[in-house]
Amino acid sequence: MDKMRLFMCYCATHPGKLDETRQQQWMTLAKLSNADLAAVCNLAYMGVQVVKPGACFMSADRSCGCG
């Protein structure tokens, strides 16, 4: 749970910095699941720019779509 909080804080304080490469690094290092990434993607509903413009999340179902 703490790793998710850290990741969400990173996304909120570094808007638009998350691209495919960094997402893959976070998934590997923090062992994040697709459900975890979907929760991070929901930050966009609160006005946080999660991904770089034009970048896509690489989840299995592509639920986050493109930024």
Side-chain angles (χ1 to χ4, degrees), residues 15-61:
K17 295 269 185 174
L18 193 63
D19 59 7
E20 291 93 349
T21 305
R22 287 192 187 227
Q23 178 208 353
Q24 194 63 33
Q25 290 172 346
W26 274 96
M27 283 182 68
T28 303
L29 294 173
K31 297 182 176 111
L32 298 174
S33 68
N34 284 339
D36 294 336
L37 289 176
V40 172
C41 187
N42 286 337
L43 287 173
Y45 292 115
M46 297 183 348
V48 176
Q49 182 183 354
V50 179
V51 296
K52 283 184 177 180
C56 293
F57 266 71
M58 297 171 57
S59 62
D61 59 358

